[in-house]
Amino acid sequence: MIRIQEGDFDLSAEIEALKDSRTDIGAIVTFTGTVRDRGSDKVIESMTLEHYPGMTEKELARIEQEAHARWPLQASLIIHRVGKLLPGDNIVLVATASAHRHAAFEAAAFLMDYLKTDAPFWKFEEGPDGAGWVDARETDGAAKARWSAKSSSKEEPAST
Amino acid sequence: MIRIQEGDFDLSAEIEALKDSRTDIGAIVTFTGTVRDRGSDKVIESMTLEHYPGMTEKELARIEQEAHARWPLQASLIIHRVGKLLPGDNIVLVATASAHRHAAFEAAAFLMDYLKTDAPFWKFEEGPDGAGWVDARETDGAAKARWSAKSSSKEEPAST
Amino acid sequence: MRLLYFAWVREKTGISSEEIDLPAHIETVGDLLRWQKTRGEEFAAAFEKDRVIRAAIDQTHARHDAAIAGAREIAFFPPVTGG
Amino acid sequence: MRLLYFAWVREKTGISSEEIDLPAHIETVGDLLRWQKTRGEEFAAAFEKDRVIRAAIDQTHARHDAAIAGAREIAFFPPVTGG
């Protein structure tokens, strides 16, 4: 499931909805990304998220589909906020549910790595030292690349 | 932080407490383990968690300390329930907060792998086909062992 | 054809989208990037670092050597920084 | 010395803890495991599969060859299955 929204999200409510009263889920992993009050060398007072409506949903759906193809997931969720955010605010939530913990962990990490390189969002930061667009990090490309070299946990023995 | 309790936990409330209004956290990963309605080959109606009071806290504190030594974590939390649980119920919550997402992901997976092999909890399952103690899985030992072979992400380039 | 601009590409061109008829000689994303530089001061500045600019054809990531024939919507933007 | 039993070891011995003076010849966890088998039907059944039984000395995991000298509390239990 995918949502782009300006408002905040509530972790408990989202996970309850994700579980949907199912009793065959053994493992739920969530990743929450939050606005930090400083970048590599400067203080951040606010962050504004721009995105490409239409393409964003398309890319996130593609990424989510890819995760479901690689791991035995029972459910997944990606929520990404847009608009102006303050330090401490939530930016993104990724959640994965599986019978087994390694599948849930790997799929959540995979979703974040792909989201960071493929989903059309851009961050604009403002602070006392000025304002500017956040530069993409080369490490995010490397983080995505590791999923090409590495096999999924699908073949590994089951473990909750 | 470590808690052993009979009652349930609320994900949002726990994460808010973990963040403690800090604005230098960029990534929060949670793992929630839940009771599944079936084991490998049988239906499960209830699960009872026994533990070794005193040693449990000691082991979890040791595991948590090890995670903080390996990854740059700003906060962490382990909650494990004991007593009688039903399918769908929460069993365990592990949460990690870091400036960077890979540290948070790896530390959470590490905590779960160590908890599964070292923390003195035992599961007793009951169902229509009878009752019995859950057998330990060899895969859990292998999951723990991978952290000895693998280096931590501490040396990797920073990435939120 | 509809052209879209995001983040600092949008800021520098001064527009977020436009409907435009492209010259016939433009066959690839790369051709289009080079042509953008000829469209006045703002576009020259926006597309100066054309190597780092990413493109999407009809909302799908496209390489600079991708053909644009048949495209309805082409977007230009910096490397993404969400998450 | 205090001995503790958990999970199916507890169920089979029928007790969860006891205070006991150990024979002097018992020096290691392994010695203690072998001695447990001699303490009647319940203990023989509980400690039959002594290889899989884990031990903790004063609430720290201990191998079967660990010395028990000075221990105040020794626990026996199956491999753990929490999480």
Side-chain angles (χ1 to χ4, degrees):
Chain A
M1 214 163 54
I2 283 157
R3 276 194 352 247
I4 315 297
Q5 63 189 43
E6 290 198 5
D8 199 7
F9 48 80
D10 178 72
L11 203 52
S12 296
E14 296 301 340
I15 298 311
E16 279 312 304
L18 189 77
K19 285 168 74 173
D20 193 23
S21 304
R22 291 175 66 156
T23 52
D24 58 346
I25 293 171
I28 299 161
V29 169
T30 72
F31 174 87
T32 307
T34 54
V35 180
R36 278 196 289 161
D37 56 11
R38 30 189 326 117
S40 46
D41 57 353
K42 58 182 183 298
V43 174
I44 293 161
E45 286 172 346
S46 78
M47 175 178 279
T48 304
L49 268 295
E50 177 174 333
H51 79 124
Y52 181 175
M55 180 169 173
T56 310
E57 291 81 354
K58 216 167 155 178
E59 277 298 307
L60 293 181
R62 183 182 65 77
I63 293 166
E64 194 178 39
Q65 205 172 353
E66 175 71 20
H68 281 257
R70 288 185 180 220
W71 291 278
L73 302 178
Q74 284 152 330
S76 61
L77 171 68
I78 304 174
I79 300 177
H80 204 297
R81 295 180 71 188
V82 292
K84 191 166 180 175
L85 303 173
L86 302 176
D89 281 356
N90 292 324
I91 304 170
V92 62
L93 173 64
V94 158
T96 52
S98 176
H100 307 297
R101 76 180 185 280
H102 292 122
F105 268 121
E106 290 197 14
F110 170 92
L111 286 172
M112 277 308 302
D113 285 346
Y114 270 68
L115 187 155
K116 285 258 178 190
T117 53
D118 291 2
F121 292 99
W122 300 275
K123 285 175 181 154
F124 184 76
E125 292 175 341
E126 289 177 278
D129 310 319
W133 293 94
V134 173
D135 279 332
R137 295 171 191 221
E138 284 183 28
T139 52
D140 285 332
K144 178 188 166 188
R146 71 193 169 115
W147 297 104
S148 310
K150 194 175 171 184
S151 69
S152 84
S153 72
K154 244 182 178 172
E155 296 76 27
E156 283 175 23
S159 161
T160 311
Chain B
M1 212 162 53
I2 284 157
R3 274 190 359 242
I4 314 297
Q5 62 189 43
E6 290 199 4
D8 199 7
F9 48 80
D10 178 71
L11 201 53
S12 296
E14 296 301 339
I15 297 313
E16 279 313 304
L18 188 77
K19 286 168 75 174
D20 193 24
S21 304
R22 290 174 67 155
T23 51
D24 58 346
I25 294 171
I28 298 160
V29 169
T30 72
F31 174 87
T32 307
T34 54
V35 180
R36 278 195 290 161
D37 56 10
R38 30 190 324 118
S40 46
D41 57 352
K42 58 182 185 297
V43 174
I44 293 161
E45 286 172 347
S46 78
M47 175 178 278
T48 303
L49 267 296
E50 177 174 334
H51 79 123
Y52 180 175
M55 179 168 172
T56 309
E57 291 80 355
K58 215 167 153 178
E59 277 298 306
L60 293 181
R62 184 183 63 78
I63 293 166
E64 195 179 39
Q65 204 172 355
E66 176 70 21
H68 281 259
R70 289 185 180 220
W71 291 278
L73 302 179
Q74 285 151 329
S76 62
L77 170 67
I78 305 173
I79 300 177
H80 204 298
R81 294 180 72 188
V82 291
K84 192 166 181 175
L85 303 173
L86 302 176
D89 281 355
N90 292 323
I91 304 171
V92 62
L93 173 65
V94 157
T96 52
S98 176
H100 307 297
R101 76 179 185 281
H102 292 122
F105 268 120
E106 290 198 13
F110 170 92
L111 286 171
M112 277 308 302
D113 285 346
Y114 270 67
L115 187 155
K116 284 258 178 190
T117 53
D118 292 1
F121 292 99
W122 300 274
K123 285 176 181 153
F124 184 76
E125 292 175 340
E126 290 177 278
D129 310 319
W133 293 94
V134 174
D135 279 331
R137 295 171 192 220
E138 283 183 27
T139 52
D140 285 332
K144 178 188 167 188
R146 70 193 169 115
W147 298 104
S148 310
K150 194 175 169 185
S151 70
S152 85
S153 73
K154 244 182 176 171
E155 296 77 24
E156 282 175 23
S159 161
T160 310
Chain C
M1 181 176 298
R2 188 176 165 80
L3 299 182
L4 300 172
Y5 308 101
F6 293 97
W8 56 252
V9 182
R10 171 182 56 73
E11 275 194 343
K12 289 182 178 180
T13 62
I15 57 171
S16 56
S17 75
E18 59 181 330
E19 290 290 341
I20 199 165
D21 289 322
L22 298 181
H25 71 271
I26 298 178
E27 295 179 356
T28 66
V29 169
D31 293 342
L32 184 46
L33 281 162
R34 278 183 290 277
W35 178 72
Q36 293 278 28
K37 292 187 189 185
T38 70
R39 298 176 65 200
E41 209 174 306
E42 285 81 4
F43 277 71
F47 288 90
E48 189 192 346
K49 292 191 272 179
D50 60 347
R51 285 196 173 185
V52 308
I53 293 177
R54 307 295 168 88
I57 298 177
D58 292 335
Q59 307 189 344
T60 299
H61 290 288
R63 293 160 43 122
H64 288 191
D65 59 5
I68 64 167
R72 283 158 302 149
E73 178 175 310
I74 299 182
F76 295 100
F77 44 78
V80 307
T81 55
Chain D
M1 181 177 298
R2 188 176 165 81
L3 299 182
L4 299 172
Y5 309 101
F6 293 97
W8 54 253
V9 182
R10 171 182 57 72
E11 276 195 341
K12 289 183 178 180
T13 61
I15 56 171
S16 57
S17 76
E18 58 181 333
E19 291 290 339
I20 200 165
D21 289 321
L22 297 181
H25 72 271
I26 297 177
E27 294 179 356
T28 66
V29 168
D31 293 342
L32 184 46
L33 280 163
R34 278 183 290 277
W35 178 72
Q36 293 279 27
K37 292 186 191 187
T38 69
R39 298 176 65 201
E41 209 175 305
E42 285 81 4
F43 276 72
F47 288 90
E48 188 192 347
K49 292 192 270 179
D50 59 348
R51 284 197 175 184
V52 308
I53 292 177
R54 307 295 168 89
I57 297 177
D58 293 334
Q59 307 190 345
T60 299
H61 290 289
R63 293 160 43 120
H64 287 190
D65 59 4
I68 65 166
R72 283 158 302 149
E73 178 175 309
I74 300 181
F76 295 101
F77 43 77
V80 306
T81 56

Coordinates of all heavy atoms in Angstrom, one line a residue, chain A residues 36-39 41-46 125-130:
Chain A
R36 N 16.3 15.5 10.7 CA 17.4 15.8 11.7 C 17.6 17.3 11.7 O 17.5 18.0 10.7 CB 18.6 15.0 11.3 CG 18.6 13.6 11.7 CD 20.0 13.0 11.7 NE 20.5 12.9 10.3 CZ 21.7 12.8 9.9 NH1 22.7 12.8 10.8 NH2 22.1 12.6 8.7
D37 N 18.0 17.7 12.9 CA 18.2 19.2 13.0 C 19.6 19.7 12.5 O 19.9 20.8 12.5 CB 18.1 19.6 14.5 CG 19.1 18.8 15.4 OD1 20.0 18.1 14.8 OD2 18.9 18.8 16.6
R38 N 20.4 18.7 11.9 CA 21.5 19.2 11.2 C 21.9 18.3 10.1 O 21.7 17.1 10.1 CB 22.8 19.4 12.1 CG 22.9 18.6 13.4 CD 24.0 19.0 14.2 NE 25.1 19.6 13.5 CZ 25.5 20.9 13.5 NH1 25.0 21.7 14.4 NH2 26.5 21.3 12.8
G39 N 22.5 18.9 9.0 CA 23.0 18.2 7.9 C 24.5 17.9 8.2 O 24.9 17.9 9.4
D41 N 27.1 19.6 7.8 CA 27.8 20.8 8.4 C 27.0 22.0 8.8 O 27.5 23.1 9.0 CB 29.0 21.1 7.5 CG 28.4 21.5 6.1 OD1 27.2 21.3 5.9 OD2 29.2 21.9 5.3
K42 N 25.7 21.8 8.8 CA 24.9 23.0 9.0 C 23.6 22.7 9.8 O 23.1 21.6 9.8 CB 24.5 23.8 7.7 CG 23.8 22.9 6.7 CD 23.6 23.7 5.4 CE 22.7 22.9 4.4 NZ 23.4 21.7 4.0
V43 N 23.1 23.7 10.5 CA 21.9 23.6 11.2 C 20.7 23.7 10.3 O 20.6 24.5 9.4 CB 21.8 24.8 12.3 CG1 20.4 24.7 13.0 CG2 22.9 24.6 13.3
I44 N 19.7 22.9 10.6 CA 18.5 22.8 9.7 C 17.3 23.2 10.5 O 17.0 22.7 11.6 CB 18.3 21.4 9.1 CG1 19.4 21.1 8.2 CG2 16.9 21.3 8.4 CD1 19.6 19.6 7.9
E45 N 16.6 24.2 10.0 CA 15.4 24.7 10.7 C 14.1 24.2 10.1 O 13.1 24.0 10.8 CB 15.3 26.2 10.8 CG 16.4 26.8 11.7 CD 16.5 28.3 11.6 OE1 16.0 28.9 10.7 OE2 17.1 28.9 12.5
S46 N 14.1 23.9 8.8 CA 13.0 23.3 8.2 C 13.4 22.6 6.9 O 14.4 22.8 6.4 CB 11.9 24.3 7.9 OG 12.2 25.0 6.7
E125 N 16.3 22.4 2.2 CA 16.6 22.7 3.6 C 16.7 24.2 3.8 O 17.4 24.8 3.0 CB 17.8 22.0 4.1 CG 17.7 20.5 4.1 CD 19.1 19.8 4.5 OE1 20.1 20.5 4.3 OE2 19.0 18.6 4.9
E126 N 16.2 24.6 4.9 CA 16.4 26.0 5.3 C 17.0 26.1 6.7 O 16.6 25.3 7.6 CB 15.1 26.8 5.2 CG 14.6 27.0 3.8 CD 13.2 27.7 3.8 OE1 12.2 27.0 3.9 OE2 13.2 28.9 3.6
G127 N 17.9 27.1 6.9 CA 18.5 27.2 8.2 C 19.1 28.6 8.4 O 19.1 29.4 7.4
P128 N 19.8 28.8 9.5 CA 20.4 30.2 9.7 C 21.5 30.5 8.8 O 21.8 31.6 8.5 CB 20.9 30.1 11.2 CG 21.0 28.6 11.5 CD 19.9 28.0 10.6
D129 N 22.1 29.4 8.2 CA 23.2 29.6 7.3 C 22.8 29.7 5.8 O 23.6 29.7 4.9 CB 24.2 28.5 7.4 CG 24.6 28.3 8.9 OD1 24.8 29.3 9.6 OD2 24.7 27.1 9.3
G130 N 21.4 29.7 5.6 CA 21.0 29.8 4.2 C 20.0 28.6 3.9 O 19.7 27.8 4.8

